Amino acid sequence: MPIFITRGRYSAEAVRNLVANPEDRLPAVRNLVEAAGGKLLSFYVTLGQYDFLIITEAPSAKEASAAILAAAASGSVTDNETTEAFTTAEAKQVFAGAGKVAETYKRPGK
């Protein structure tokens, strides 16, 4: 099943709420991902440009996107970015496929 990595930020309101009432968000994130049809593999609170990083497994980008869009619609997260990830074995297959396709590609000006 495809793996997706999502990074994002908490809204200012969400940060205020978490400071006023600290809580472990893992159960809520797990429930959200599962409700969308995925499986939560990891959830981290991070420092820097993004406030969190979520690694999920989902049947497709549709399910992975549904979870983060639901959170964004609540107003509690912003600046979300989701990327599909590949294992090294899957990446090898992607590169092999690209090599076959590259043989048919005509470069500009050539």
Side-chain angles (χ1 to χ4, degrees):
M1 205 172 337
I3 295 174
F4 299 91
I5 300 169
T6 300
R7 297 181 297 178
R9 295 183 179 131
Y10 287 119
S11 66
E13 179 184 3
V15 171
R16 279 193 300 275
N17 291 341
L18 286 167
V19 168
N21 299 299
E23 65 175 295
D24 183 347
R25 296 295 300 157
L26 180 62
V29 172
R30 179 177 286 117
N31 289 340
L32 180 66
V33 170
E34 289 176 357
K39 177 183 178 186
L40 181 66
L41 301 179
S42 298
F43 170 54
Y44 300 97
V45 175
T46 58
L47 302 174
Q49 182 177 355
Y50 295 99
D51 297 325
F52 60 85
L53 180 136
I54 300 169
I55 303 174
T56 58
E57 191 175 59
S60 74
K62 292 176 189 173
E63 292 83 4
S65 297
I68 199 63
L69 286 172
S74 76
S76 56
V77 299
T78 64
D79 303 313
N80 302 302
E81 178 181 283
T82 300
T83 304
E84 186 171 357
F86 300 97
T87 64
T88 57
E90 291 168 333
K92 181 180 176 185
Q93 292 173 345
V94 170
F95 288 124
K100 291 175 186 172
V101 172
E103 295 170 3
T104 67
Y105 179 66
K106 179 188 174 294
R107 294 187 328 195
K110 297 287 179 177

